[in-house]
Each structure stands twice: as C-alpha cells, then as structure tokens.
Amino acid sequence: MSAQASRFLDVRALTDTLSARLSAEDQTPQSMTDASPAKWHRAHVTWFFEEFILRNVDSYRVYDDTFRYLFNSYYEAVGARHPRPERGLVTRPGVADVGLYREYVDSAMVDALERGLLDDDALGLLELGCNHEQQHQELLLMDIKHLFSTHAFDPVYVDRDIDEPGEPGPLTWRSVAGGVTEVGMTQGSAGFSYDNEGPRHRVFLEDFEIAERAVTNAEWLEFIADDGYHRPELWLSDGWAHISQTGWEAPEYWRFIDGEWTTFTLSGRRRPVSDEPVVHISFYEADAYARWAGARLPTEFEWEAAAATGDRTHGQLLDVARCHPGRAGSTMIGDVWEWTASAYLPYPGFVPANGAVGEYNGKFMCDQHVLRGASAVTPPGHERITYRNFFPAPARWAFSGLRLAR
Amino acid sequence: MSAQASRFLDVRALTDTLSARLSAEDQTPQSMTDASPAKWHRAHVTWFFEEFILRNVDSYRVYDDTFRYLFNSYYEAVGARHPRPERGLVTRPGVADVGLYREYVDSAMVDALERGLLDDDALGLLELGCNHEQQHQELLLMDIKHLFSTHAFDPVYVDRDIDEPGEPGPLTWRSVAGGVTEVGMTQGSAGFSYDNEGPRHRVFLEDFEIAERAVTNAEWLEFIADDGYHRPELWLSDGWAHISQTGWEAPEYWRFIDGEWTTFTLSGRRRPVSDEPVVHISFYEADAYARWAGARLPTEFEWEAAAATGDRTHGQLLDVARCHPGRAGSTMIGDVWEWTASAYLPYPGFVPANGAVGEYNGKFMCDQHVLRGASAVTPPGHERITYRNFFPAPARWAFSGLRLAR
Amino acid sequence: MSAQASRFLDVRALTDTLSARLSAEDQTPQSMTDASPAKWHRAHVTWFFEEFILRNVDSYRVYDDTFRYLFNSYYEAVGARHPRPERGLVTRPGVADVGLYREYVDSAMVDALERGLLDDDALGLLELGCNHEQQHQELLLMDIKHLFSTHAFDPVYVDRDIDEPGEPGPLTWRSVAGGVTEVGMTQGSAGFSYDNEGPRHRVFLEDFEIAERAVTNAEWLEFIADDGYHRPELWLSDGWAHISQTGWEAPEYWRFIDGEWTTFTLSGRRRPVSDEPVVHISFYEADAYARWAGARLPTEFEWEAAAATGDRTHGQLLDVARCHPGRAGSTMIGDVWEWTASAYLPYPGFVPANGAVGEYNGKFMCDQHVLRGASAVTPPGHERITYRNFFPAPARWAFSGLRLAR
Amino acid sequence: MSAQASRFLDVRALTDTLSARLSAEDQTPQSMTDASPAKWHRAHVTWFFEEFILRNVDSYRVYDDTFRYLFNSYYEAVGARHPRPERGLVTRPGVADVGLYREYVDSAMVDALERGLLDDDALGLLELGCNHEQQHQELLLMDIKHLFSTHAFDPVYVDRDIDEPGEPGPLTWRSVAGGVTEVGMTQGSAGFSYDNEGPRHRVFLEDFEIAERAVTNAEWLEFIADDGYHRPELWLSDGWAHISQTGWEAPEYWRFIDGEWTTFTLSGRRRPVSDEPVVHISFYEADAYARWAGARLPTEFEWEAAAATGDRTHGQLLDVARCHPGRAGSTMIGDVWEWTASAYLPYPGFVPANGAVGEYNGKFMCDQHVLRGASAVTPPGHERITYRNFFPAPARWAFSGLRLAR
C-alpha cells in the first residue's frame, strides 16, 4: 500500500478509535450550537473526501445523495445544507450507517490512490482532508467533553488514575530579540500548512520576554482568591459585561463543591492539579489574568518568534488513554492552546484556495482571536509552530490556556 | 395473573411496541422544549410507578438513585430534576439500560401486586400510572412526529398505503337543548378519571347547534384559498401577532411543494386527504376558521353535553399500523382532539390529589385551552367524554383539529 | 351648551389636568412596550374622536394626515400604524402641537354637536370615545407611574402627606346564595357599557362566601414572611416559572431598603400602609396568596353577584390630589382592581360592534384574566359592577389587588 | 480671558448650537442601546469636567449629587451608574435643567482657569475633556440622525438645498512604498492625542497602492445592481449571517421607494448623490465591496502611511449648515470615516492613563474595527491622521465609508 494510502487510513482509524467508546446515544446530540454530534463529525469528514475528491473520480458512485445536504458544514459554494443548530436532530443515518459510509469511502479512496486516479490537486486535497479530519478529532473530543459536562452525573470517557499534584516552581522568563522577523509559512514550501498560515512575511517586533511555561491551576486559584473575577479594572469592557451576565467565577467545567474547586475532565470530575496548565478559559479571562499578573498576552508573532527559538520538543498531545493536559513544561507546543493578543486577520498577500475549500479559513477572519501551540487533544503530527487556531473571545470549550509575555 | 397485573402489563407492552420501531438514535434527541426524547418517555413513565408506588414497598430496592433526578418531569415536591430543555442531552442511561429498568420495575410491580402488597391508595396510583403511561404513549408519537418532521428527508415511522380521498358531503348540524346541565365526573364514582374532570357539577347552557363532523382538509384548503391566513379581522389579536411573526400559511407539517400542499405524516410526506379532519392546528387557527365560517367553537360544556347525547361510538383511536386520523365521521371521540372555546380552569370545588401527584393537573390551569375528544394516537380505552386535554393557544404538535358550533 | 358637549369637555379637561403636571420630557418616553407616552395618550384619544366621528362630518378638515398613522393604536381596519414598541421615539409632534390638536378637535366636536350634525351612531361613538378617554386617563397614570419608577431618584407626580397606618381588623366573610343568576349588561339597555359586558345572560353558581374587604399590605407582608415567594406548592406552574426567572420577592414597585419594605407611589417612595389594599400584583401572585390563605379567587360571576347584593358605595376612585388607594373597606368598587379566577372570554351571544370599533374588546379574548371593581386611578363615573377589565397573568403595572372567596 | 478658557468656551458653545435646533422632546429618547439622548450627551460631557477636574478644586460645590449616577457613561472606577439601555427614560433633569447645569460648570471652569487653580494634570484633563466633548458632538449628530430616521415622516434637522449630482471620474491609485515605518503618536509629544494613538512605534509594511478617493454612491449602486448583497462568496461568514438575518439590501438609511433608492439625511430623505462617498455602511459591507472590486481594505498602518505622504488638506468636516459629506475628493481626512482591515488593538507599549480616565479607550480593545480619517460631523480641529476611531463590525450609524487598497 502506498504511503499516502497508509497515512490516510491511519488518520481515519484514529477517528474510529475515538468514537468506539461512544454509544449510539452518545454520538447523537448536539449540546450547543458551536458543538456537533460525534456521529456528524464522523460523517462530515468522510463527506469532505467524497465531495472534494471522489466526486471528480469518474468511476465513483456517490454513497447517498442526501449526505451532501446533511453533512456539508458551511461551504456555501456546495449548496444548501442542514441548519447547524439542528445537527443533533438528524437521527438518520444512524451510527451503524455512518460506519458503513466511512468504509465505503475508505475503500474508494484507497482504490483511487492505488490506481493512480488522483492528480496533484486531488492529492493536495487528500492532505487537506487528512488535516481536516485531525482537526475534527480534536473537535469531537471537545464536543463530547462539553456534552458529558451537561450530564448531572459526570460520565467518564476514558478511565484514568488521579494525577498527583506537583509543584510548578517559580515562573521564569526568556528574552527574545525583536527587529524585522519572518513569520508564517508559504503553502507548499515545506510540508502541509493551511492557507491562513501564509504567505510567510516580515513583521517588526520590539524586544520582549516570554514566560517559560503556561499559567497553572495553582496560579489561577490565586487569581480567584484575589477576587480576580470581581474587579472591573482587570477586564476588557466586553469581558466584564460577559462575566456579569454569565456569572462566571472560574474556568469552564469548574464547580465549587463542598468547599473546594473541582473540574470536569474526560475521566470524570476531579480536583484541578496544581502544576497542570489552567484550561478551558476564554480570551477575556486570559486577558484579565495577564493584566492582574502585571503582564500581557504575547502577539501571535511574538509567540511564533519565541517558539522558533525555544524548546522544540512538545508537551502532551493526544493520547487516547489520557485526553488531558500534562504538567506545565518549557515547550510551547502541546497541553493547551494559548490565547494570544492577536486578532485573527489575513496575512499580507493572503489568497484563499480556489473553489469551495477556499471557504475553509478566510471567511472567518473577523472578531476571532488567535491561539497558538496545540493541546492534549490535538493529534500528534497535526501540531505546527505556524498553526493559527482561532475562536471568539467568549469561547471556553476548546482546551485553551495562556502564557504570559511582557 | 390478576386482572390488575394483566392490565398493567398490557399498557406497558404498548409502549414497547411503539418504541421498537425507533433506533437508539431516534430515541435520544429532543426536537423542541415541549417535546421529550422517546427514551425519556419510556424511563419517566417507569419512574412514575417506582416513585409513587414501589418506594413505599418495604422490600423494594431502587434501581438507580440518579433516575429520580433524571426522570422526574415536573414534580416540585419530589425534588430537584434535570432541566426540561436539556432532556435530549442525557445520553446515559442508553436505550438498552432503559429497557432493563423497565423490566426491573415491571417485575417488581407484578410481584407486589401478586403478593398483595399494594393498599387501596397504591392501587389508585397504579391506575393513575397506567393512564399516565397511556398519555405518554400519545406524547411519544406526537414527539416523534415532530422530531422526524425536522429531518429534510421525511423519515417513515410506519409504512402505510396512500388513502384514497373521499367526499365528506355537506356539513350538517345537530340542535342541543340548553338549561342547567351536569358536566364532569367525580373521581371514584365510575371508573377512572383525572382529578381535573371533577367534581361533577351544574352549568347553565343556552340552546346551541353543533356540527355533525369535524372540519376537513378540503374545507381548510378553502379557508387558505380565501386568504384566511391574511385577513386580520378573522383573528384574535394574539393569533394575528403570532402568524405575523411565524409566517404560518397552513397547519403544522404542511408544506407547499411543486404547486400543491403536502403534509408530513408518520408514514412520510403526503397530500392531505380531503375528507379527513384537518389536524395540527393551533387554537388561534381553530378560532379564526370558525369566525371565517360564520360559526364559533363550542365551549367544553357544550361539547360534553353534545357528546353525551350523540353518537357514542368512536372514530380512529391509536392503531399502531396507522397512527393517523381516519375519515371525518359523526362520532365526537377519536381522529383529532377538538379545540373548544374554554380556558382550562378548575371546576367548582376542585381539589387536587394529595401529595406530589396533586401536581399532575391543577398547577397548569392558566392560559391553556381545553380540547375534547381523543385522537388517532390516543390509546384505546384512554378516551372519555369528560376528558379535558389542554394546550397553550399556539401549540400545534398535538393531533388537534376542530368542530364548529353556533 | 348641550349636556353632551358639556360631558365631552369635562372628560377632555381631566386629561389636560393630569398631563399639566408633566414636562415635555416626561410626556415623551415609553418605559416598556405595554406602556405608552403621556403625549401619545393625549393624541390617541383625540384621534379616536377624529377618526370615528369627525371624518364622517362633511365640513370637517383633518388636522394632520400623518396622525392616522402615528396615533392609531391597534385598529387593523383603519390601516398601517406606527409600531407599538416605538411610540417613545416619536418626538414630533411635540407636546405643544398635541395641545393644539386637542383644541382643534374639541372645537370641531362641540361645533358638530351644537349644530346637530351627529346622528345616533355618532352619538353612540361619542359616548364610547368619552369612556375610551377615561380608560386612557387611567392608563396614563399607570404608565407615568411605571416610567417614574425606573428613575433612580423617585420623581414625585403629586405631593401628598404620609398616610398614618391603621389597623384593618380581622377578615370577615359574607355568604352569597348560588343558583341560576343573571350577569352582564346588554348594550343600550341602561346607560353605557362596553360590548364585552354583554349580553346579559344566565350562569349557574354554587353557594359561596366572599371576603368583606381586599387583602391588605399587612397581610401581604405576612405572606412574604411565611416564605410565600419561595414555596412552589403555592404557585401555578407558569407563576413559579415566572418568579424563578424574574426573581420577584414582592409586588411591583416594592424594594427592600435598610431593613424594610418600601413601595414607589405617585407621591414618591414610602412604606406600604398596613390597612391599604396591596396593589400592583400579578394574577400569579393573587392566585398564590389565595392558596396560601386557604381560600381562592372568586370567579367574575361570583364577584358580580356579590357586588350586586353588597355595599353599593365605592372606595377611592381617581382624586387628582391623591392617585393612590384608600384604606381597605367593605365596598367592592374602587381602591384596587381585583383579579378574578375567570379567563377573559366572550359571553354567550357576544357580537362585537360594527366597523373598526369592533376591534375594541373582542380580539383580546385570549389568555387574559378578568379583573373587577375599579381603582384609585379610575375616573369617577367610569366604574360599573359589570365592568370587565383584563390583563395578562404577569401584568403588574395596573392598580391590581385581590379579594378572597371560598 | 485666557486662550484655554476661550478654547473651552468655544467647544462648549458648539454643543449648544447643535442642540438649539432640538426640542425638549427631540432631546429625550434613546433610539437604540448604542445611541444616547441629546440631553444626556449635553449633561454627560459637562459631568466629565465636573467629575475629573472640578471635584478636585477645593472651592467647588457639586451641582447635584445624583448626576454622578445619571451621567457617568461607563467609568467603573467612579461607581454605580444608570443602566445604559435606559438613558431615554430619565426625563428629569429636563432640558432646561441641563442647560443650567452647563452654565454652572462653565462658570466654575472659567473661574478655576482664570484663578490658576488647575495644575498640569488638570489642564491635561481639560484638553481631554474638550476633545471628549467634540467626540460627543459627533455622537449627538449620529444619534439624532438615527432617532429621526425611525420617524415615519422624515424630520429635518437642518434645511439645505439639494446637491446636484456630479461625475466622480475613474478611480485612480497611488503607490506607497513599504518597509519599516513609524506610526502613531506618543502622548504629549506634539499637541493632543488620545492614549490609544501611542506610543509611536515601528511596523513593517509591504509596498501597496491606495485609492485616490473613497468609494462613491454611484459605485455602491453598481455593487447592489451586481447582486452584491446576495452572493455569499463576497462576504465574511459573520457578515453573511448578519445580512441573512437582518435582510440588509443597502446601506443604513437607504430605502427603495417608487423605483429608486433614497437615503435619509439630516436634511430629510433624498436621492444618494452619485459622486458623494457612500456612507453608513458596516465593516461587513466595506469588506464585501472591496472583495467584489478585486481589492481589499487598507490596514490602519497602510492608511496612516498613505495619509502621511498624501494630500494634507481635508474634505468636509462638521459644518452646522450641512451635516453631510461633500463630494469624494483626494484628501483622506473628512467626509466619511474609512473602515480599515485592522482590529482595534493596543500598540506595543500602550499604557492607559492613570485613574478613571484610563477607562477611556483601552478597555474597548476587543472585537472592534479601526476607522481612520474623519467625517462630515467631526468638529474641525478634532481630526488627526493618527486618530483611531473604532466600532463593532455591524455598526452603521456612524458616518462610515471606505477606501480601497491593493
């Protein structure tokens, strides 16, 4: 089997591994508009290969014509689609049917690869499709975590021992020299990257310092104890309005029970571990914490410049037996996505890809905030120092944390 | 086996028959706040027997303590419960677990009955529980119909041939003499009745006429053709505001496709059959139609007086092979629930039952409207001429139609 | 001058007296959708005479064609109109212009009357218009009270001394015999009545008892002290949902300051006077209180039968120097409107008036609740024992209280 | 009189000139949450001087203690304040009282200036207060335009002749060289600037071209004619969702009447003049237009670099006899604010001012978009090429247009 087919099947297999722990019932609901059912993720990533690659293969016969409507996410150029807030109501096809659809498309893809039916464009879309499926593996876990968190009795996705709390040690800083610096990656230049990571271009940076590790749960508890959630001077106006309205007193999934803070994890409800990075915070909270700490968030370019010159190993990426950050360490990749001070905007000279996949990234460049790094639910191999993740300021269901700069 | 046990098991079996056609995925979502997942219905009616009967049996061991929280519908006296709008997010217990729960409670109930452990109060609650489960059988079908109607490709719950349209013939009227009339049923007097049907009491009625059959689809199409949905003088102020906001142009589930009206049924999308009663209309629409027709809705007391003196057979009740109204006929029971002009209010001397089950009916006596009769998804044996069904004015997902008076 | 012209001018003059205390700024805003600006009330009641009477007088020249759009309240038959929620944005015409409009219409009306240009229909509309303006006098005061209550510093509409609290004495009951009873008033039979008060018709009543006075502030404080707002068993389901969402802990305009309850009045913020009737409560609260007190609300027919056989004097009606209820007394007319157990529904044989004024009452007969009596802001002469006032269950800005029955 | 006092009184006088055309009624309502009543603007800017300057003058006696609550806009450090969405309900103080308040503070300010009681900090706040009042002069006109636009009959703020349409001529482009470029202004370095304009710092720019004039109404009509509002590929995802929901088909205030587009101006409803810049568009529309035109929006740094090297005259600034843009010309200052591609974020090294006025700008740096230039309602002397105006993406009630870059 070709390396490409093998790579494809490996990516596909991980999705199946992740969903194998979920019942048909678990895979059906949508716990909020931003989230999607696991069943939908599994079908949508499959449809992506069918829509953008297999439909152009002469011999291919579409599995089910209704799936284009049901499993298109947001591609206007593809046509009408099921309303996003109602993904949890689509009970048919069921989980078993989706499994058959996956197998059907897998066979067709491998067949097309082995028979050399895919041209360079199609092979580019294959790589995009694999990365797309990896993204959805992370989303599937984020969404299941959110769904399970709404249950009153803390369902367990993966059994796992309690982590012993450690001592993170004092926060240290690293100086990074400024000046005209190159950032980003031009597509096609060296391995895969998304269109939004390029073109590579110059920016001017002042000298800055960056923290040697992410902010920890222990530090976050100090912020809470110092009344951080009740001091307007620490917050952006939008952030203050948001916490006033929602009543947030702690990160998403935290709940104060019997005199102490607990947090919901994919292994059930637990005490936050002191030396793990805080996770599931909004941009507002990251920004407020930084102000409280007398520091600030790095811009995405500072972040990238620091990552390019720092520890090139990585922390916790997706381990199906863990699905949870490890202890805060010196690498900038892994454990938690890190909010930056940067708005998600096009790089100079940015041109979206041709055709419907041009809608992949560019059209979301408005009122979103860049996160850098990768998280404990990012599949290994999907991380990259030029990677631009993005969410709206109030979003907390991603595995999001922060690192300070000054 | 005792008649009581046999009756109990018969009711229980019908629920299983209804849900056997539904996949685990079908049984999980909640398509709107007013609806509940099929899985939830199956568990809730089971919990009702456990909570109100078995918990008082010394030897009984509760199946799962979390179910009281998960499957309590609205009984404040029982304690905290899962938020109603989030019933569709409770993926655990799954369908199979709910099945085991049903079997467990069935055994315990039969055992308690056979061993004579239930006193008269408990036997009264048993009968209430059986009626309660029958109500939920109707709700389960209403809710599945609503869920399936949100699917773009019209899933089929029950395969069924197309009905040939017939000719209803002209509408005729029957005169009913007024005067002081007795209505309602005192609980315990003659067979089961809900607390809201009593006490039996006197009302004064003027002479009136009542239509010999329900309003049909053919007549409703005339109302539409005569611009009925666009003439404010026909509508109550609330109704006009509601259709202006929602854009309603026809009953729920109707859609205009390729030049003709269709309606979604539990057997898929079909043309409305001319001589079947119109179904899935709101109180607003029933009231506007009556005004357009130069008539009015009967009060619930007129309706009951007319039913007491009319054809005592019944039309279509629940037939699992049909789940759809039959042709409009002269009986007032069956096919569709009929909106009346009456607000849902307590009868003089109404006293709710003792304990938590006192919350069954009385607390909803505000801004709801009484429907009388029964529908094609009402289980046979559950119909009664004193039965007071009730829904808010805009509700359309019940099998609701109307009959004229003047 | 004719008695009719004199009556007309008297009604009109009271409106001017009420608005004379309000600045142009006070007369402009709309503090909620249900309320209207004072300026709008003054123009709308004037437009009513112009639209329904003067437009049919040959020699009359319409004052300003745009006013039909700006000051039509809800008459669909008249045509398009300014959106109700935006009445507070109509700054032009200003207060002075509205004053000129009033004078213009007054002259034209008196002229038409003196010259005998009005036929019987028009004279009927004149009487309707006078009653309509009286209704709006009450609304104007309700709306100003609501507007002023949103101000942080308690503006005063009328200066008035503090009332010394008294002792209401124990609650006593009066027995009323049931049987077939006549209620309502046929229009034209004896003085003015609205179409919704008729036709006079028979109802069957059981024997009942009615409280000799309204529920007082002192009693309401006991209800609060007994945790009445936190006991679900006392509340209708809708009511419990409503107070859970709104956080109500007391009647509208009450605020707990420095250890005691205060209430906002048209004379500023004061302590509720013990022996005054409680006022500004919703139907939900009235119903919950009655249940707490081991009683119930009377139906509107019980209320009318009791009023017809009881004390025929009246309590506090509108006194421009007071605008606030007097002490609870034995009469059933005045001080506060009393919520009844009855839904607002048409009487048997009810036929709305012809033409646009047929929209006056009938189209609101849905999900509203009847109040009987009259209040301390009802103009003297506008009260009637057959009068059917109505509001939705959550409404509290009317001068609404309750009287118990059992 | 000192130059400072004279400058202060000049600024103050312009506010009075602007409001002199407005009745008490016009000055009272708030037509949307983002807008404020004219009366509120007049009091708030006055309170700014009182709060931040006069309260520190020993001899000063506060005019009315309640004004701190009523007229604080958003300064958390100052304390509790009236809820923003309810500014239109504060009828007291009235317009005349606000006039007296203005006179009182004017006298006290002039007195303090003449007696030399203000130290350098206070003098800095004086200049800030004057600029603050100029900002609110623009807001007052924006808000009045919005309020008047809600009126069905197009009130006129200023009488003005119809502008004859001209021919803008073809769009030409100017090349600007990139490289490391300095932008922004360090406070105190050269005349007044807001804290958000600094510190002056280096950025790296690529070479670019900028359009020689703003986009005109004639061009916008082409965009409409080419179905620009109905082609999803032209729009950001947020923008497409927004226009789908709102139904926008043209800029704010445009309405299609009798076969042609009209727009509401402060002189009434008129045809859009071909060679005037399009105005009252959102960021979404500016971005979509640029994509349609095969161009893009400039970043705020490109804009500033272009402005620094281009025509240094200015177009239409506030002229009380016009209050409307002039014809599109080559200068980048005046007529309309120009949306840029830049998110509103802090410059490197940005530090908010000390004390409550530190809340002036910094806390809004989230999900807002920078506009540069100035508009036809910006008071002369308030414009600056480093000026950073900002609004959320959907906002349209500012005098906002666009200029293309590529």
Side-chain angles (χ1 to χ4, degrees), chain B residues 255-285:
Chain B
R255 200 179 298 154
F256 199 71
I257 301 179
D258 295 338
E260 65 180 356
W261 284 105
T262 66
T263 184
F264 179 71
T265 75
L266 282 167
S267 303
R269 186 159 292 281
R270 302 188 166 191
R271 272 187 290 186
V273 176
S274 319
D275 56 341
E276 287 178 4
V278 67
V279 64
H280 297 300
I281 54 167
S282 63
F283 172 76
Y284 300 137
E285 289 160 294

Side-chain angles (χ1 to χ4, degrees), chain C residues 102-306:
Chain C
R102 291 183 63 87
E103 290 171 18
Y104 179 89
V105 165
D106 284 354
S107 294
M109 284 295 295
V110 170
D111 182 65
L113 277 166
E114 299 299 283
R115 291 168 55 204
L117 302 178
L118 304 189
D119 61 14
D120 279 356
D121 277 0
L123 292 173
L125 289 163
L126 167 64
E127 189 52 36
L128 180 62
C130 287
N131 277 272
H132 173 253
E133 182 144 354
Q134 288 178 311
Q135 263 191 297
H136 277 274
Q137 288 160 355
E138 177 153 6
L139 288 167
L140 186 154
L141 289 168
M142 287 162 54
D143 293 355
I144 280 295
K145 186 168 183 179
H146 188 269
L147 172 65
F148 280 9
S149 79
T150 68
H151 196 287
F153 301 105
D154 297 330
V156 168
Y157 174 77
V158 52
D159 268 318
R160 184 168 60 82
D161 290 343
I162 300 287
D163 291 307
E164 286 307 309
E167 173 46 60
L171 186 65
T172 56
W173 300 82
R174 176 158 65 92
S175 295
V176 183
V180 173
T181 308
E182 292 214 333
V183 293
M185 183 141 75
T186 299
Q187 266 197 294
S189 59
F192 176 82
S193 62
Y194 287 116
D195 57 1
N196 66 358
E197 296 172 52
R200 186 158 176 85
H201 66 288
R202 286 163 289 182
V203 296
F204 186 89
L205 299 179
E206 306 289 341
D207 298 343
F208 67 97
E209 291 185 315
I210 195 143
E212 292 274 28
R213 61 166 167 72
V215 170
T216 62
N217 285 319
E219 289 163 330
W220 202 268
L221 285 163
E222 288 175 45
F223 174 67
I224 293 174
D226 196 33
D227 223 19
Y229 280 91
H230 300 104
R231 292 165 54 186
E233 73 274 16
L234 299 176
W235 295 78
L236 289 165
S237 180
D238 282 4
W240 185 247
H242 198 82
I243 66 171
S244 300
Q245 187 197 333
T246 58
W248 285 353
E249 301 269 349
E252 181 81 342
Y253 304 137
W254 286 39
R255 199 179 300 154
F256 200 71
I257 300 177
D258 296 339
E260 64 180 356
W261 284 106
T262 64
T263 184
F264 178 72
T265 75
L266 282 168
S267 303
R269 185 159 292 282
R270 301 188 166 190
R271 272 188 290 188
V273 176
S274 320
D275 56 342
E276 286 178 5
V278 68
V279 64
H280 297 299
I281 56 167
S282 62
F283 172 76
Y284 301 137
E285 289 161 293
D287 175 86
Y289 179 92
R291 196 168 289 112
W292 172 77
R296 60 176 175 83
L297 300 179
T299 66
E300 63 169 321
F301 304 122
E302 289 173 333
W303 193 99
E304 188 173 328

Side-chain angles (χ1 to χ4, degrees), chain A residues 141-162:
Chain A
L141 289 168
M142 287 160 56
D143 293 356
I144 280 295
K145 186 168 183 179
H146 188 268
L147 172 64
F148 280 9
S149 79
T150 67
H151 197 286
F153 301 106
D154 297 330
V156 167
Y157 174 77
V158 52
D159 268 318
R160 184 167 62 81
D161 291 343
I162 300 287

Side-chain angles (χ1 to χ4, degrees), chain A residues 44 104 114 136 139 170 204 223 232 315 349 353 355 358 375-376 383:
Chain A
H44 163 69
Y104 179 87
E114 298 301 283
H136 276 274
L139 287 167
F204 185 89
F223 175 67
S375 88
E383 78 282 7

